[in-house]
Amino acid sequence: MEMFRLTVVVCSLMAAVHGCSWGSSEPCNAETNCNYGCYKGYCWAQCNGACSLAHVVGDKSKNYRTCAECALKEWCYLTKTGDKSQYSRCSSDLECSWDSGNDCYSSCTV
């Protein structure tokens, strides 16, 4: 029984300190809990496509703008800040931090 309690405590602590949904291999937008980066000259970010059903419907207290912890790695290319008719361009992940909370320009895909 004591081992069970210890396991529950450790799992709870791990959940409390968890950062972005995909971990720390890509940069993280702390406001949206979404990973983001630069790929082939364009900024991308994690998004909720199919995962949004489980994320929002399952827990009404969650904001649809936050990224779900989902087995699918869904992402999209981002719009440029100040001009939603343009893709956000980049040459490094750091250049995407400003646009990482923007709307998707492309559809959310796996």
Side-chain angles (χ1 to χ4, degrees):
M1 185 63 165
E2 196 60 36
M3 182 58 115
F4 175 75
R5 286 185 188 144
L6 179 61
T7 302
V8 169
V9 169
V10 169
C11 289
S12 297
L13 288 172
M14 288 172 65
V17 297
H18 178 72
C20 269
S21 298
W22 294 356
S24 60
S25 58
E26 293 93 6
C28 175
N29 179 321
E31 185 178 317
T32 62
N33 196 42
C34 300
N35 290 98
Y36 66 90
C38 181
Y39 180 71
K40 294 186 177 182
Y42 296 95
C43 293
W44 64 269
Q46 180 184 357
C47 57
N48 293 329
C51 291
S52 66
L53 296 175
H55 181 61
V56 176
V57 173
D59 184 351
K60 299 284 187 201
S61 67
K62 291 188 178 184
N63 183 330
Y64 79 97
R65 290 288 296 162
T66 62
C67 285
E69 293 182 30
C70 183
L72 296 174
K73 286 198 166 189
E74 298 177 297
W75 64 278
C76 66
Y77 286 113
L78 297 171
T79 59
K80 181 179 178 180
T81 297
D83 187 355
K84 292 187 178 203
S85 68
Q86 297 278 326
Y87 282 102
S88 177
R89 307 246 349 164
C90 58
S91 58
S92 70
D93 291 342
L94 183 61
E95 292 177 7
C96 297
S97 62
W98 183 260
D99 293 337
S100 65
N102 287 1
D103 293 334
C104 289
Y105 189 88
S106 66
S107 59
C108 192
T109 189
V110 178

